[in-house]
Amino acid sequence: MNERADIDYESIFRHAPIGMCISQHRVMHDCNHALAVMFGYEHGALNGLSFAQLYPSYVEFERTGARIVPIMNAKGCYSDERIMKRADGQLFWCHVSGRALHSEDPHAAGIWTFEDLSEKRPVTAELTPREREIAALLVDGKTSKLIAKQIGLSPRTVEMHRAKLMRKFTATTSSELVNRLLGVARQI
């Protein structure tokens, strides 16, 4: 006889060691304690708020929302690394993964996880919203042409932003820029 103990999924959600959230139409309906702590809020304070609260700017919230729809439609899930904002305004790199609960409408309902990457990858330069967006796509291994196509810019404009990022991070090559964005220490 194989007896299985009842699994308390709510308790698992509440005590998970990674930030988790259940959303509807990009509004956080239930967030666990780890998510609140990561973003510097009291437990329960994020419930009922838009994800926009966690982005450095509203423009980035809108762009990310538009960017994930075709990917979620194709795969049912989405994952990236991006710069997010804590309650005190501090910016930090975060790994975000989500799964749509309704394949016909990716934003209708979803489950999202957040992992703070600030220990491994500090934000070391003041970046514009567009530079943050391009930096996140560069970290994902995308070329300027792919980035341009994905976010609706010309490849030349993306190259201009990449050049600004290289200056800000004192990188001489694209791979050095990506390493700096990833927080990899400079080799001497």
Side-chain angles (χ1 to χ4, degrees):
M1 182 183 217
N2 185 7
E3 287 189 36
R4 188 182 130 231
D6 286 336
I7 297 173
D8 180 1
Y9 291 101
E10 184 173 344
S11 181
I12 292 168
F13 174 80
R14 298 271 171 244
H15 299 290
I18 190 166
M20 296 178 74
C21 176
I22 298 167
S23 68
Q24 288 184 307
H25 302 288
R26 303 189 79 198
V27 171
M28 298 172 278
H29 280 277
D30 200 359
C31 302
N32 71 356
H33 182 70
L35 184 69
V37 169
M38 180 187 311
F39 283 92
Y41 289 90
E42 292 292 322
H43 181 69
L46 291 169
N47 295 345
L49 297 180
S50 167
F51 277 124
Q53 188 78 24
L54 308 180
Y55 282 80
S57 71
Y58 191 78
V59 168
E60 289 164 280
F61 165 74
E62 286 293 321
R63 284 184 189 150
T64 302
R67 186 173 63 239
I68 70 171
V69 169
I71 296 167
M72 294 276 275
N73 283 337
K75 298 180 179 180
C77 59
Y78 181 83
S79 178
D80 73 11
E81 293 179 357
R82 66 179 83 136
I83 294 175
M84 302 295 283
K85 181 183 75 176
R86 300 188 203 281
D88 65 4
Q90 177 191 17
L91 301 180
F92 71 104
W93 279 97
C94 188
H95 179 82
V96 181
S97 297
R99 176 167 301 281
L101 299 178
H102 303 290
S103 59
E104 68 283 351
D105 184 359
H107 288 312
I111 179 80
W112 293 91
T113 63
F114 298 79
E115 180 184 4
D116 184 346
L117 301 175
S118 59
E119 291 286 321
K120 296 181 248 178
R121 186 185 313 167
V123 176
T124 58
E126 191 72 30
L127 304 177
T128 67
R130 184 63 86 183
E131 288 169 344
R132 286 191 290 267
E133 182 177 28
I134 290 171
L137 294 169
L138 288 170
V139 166
D140 278 347
K142 296 201 170 37
T143 64
S144 292
K145 285 184 182 180
L146 285 173
I147 293 170
K149 184 178 180 182
Q150 188 171 341
I151 63 177
L153 295 176
S154 74
R156 186 174 182 166
T157 301
V158 172
E159 284 297 328
M160 178 193 71
H161 286 293
R162 181 193 293 253
K164 287 180 182 177
L165 286 166
M166 290 178 76
R167 281 192 300 277
K168 287 183 178 184
F169 285 91
T170 61
T172 56
T173 65
S174 293
S175 62
E176 188 178 11
L177 172 61
V178 170
N179 283 337
R180 298 267 169 85
L181 291 169
L182 290 171
V184 175
R186 187 184 296 187
Q187 299 289 327
I188 298 178

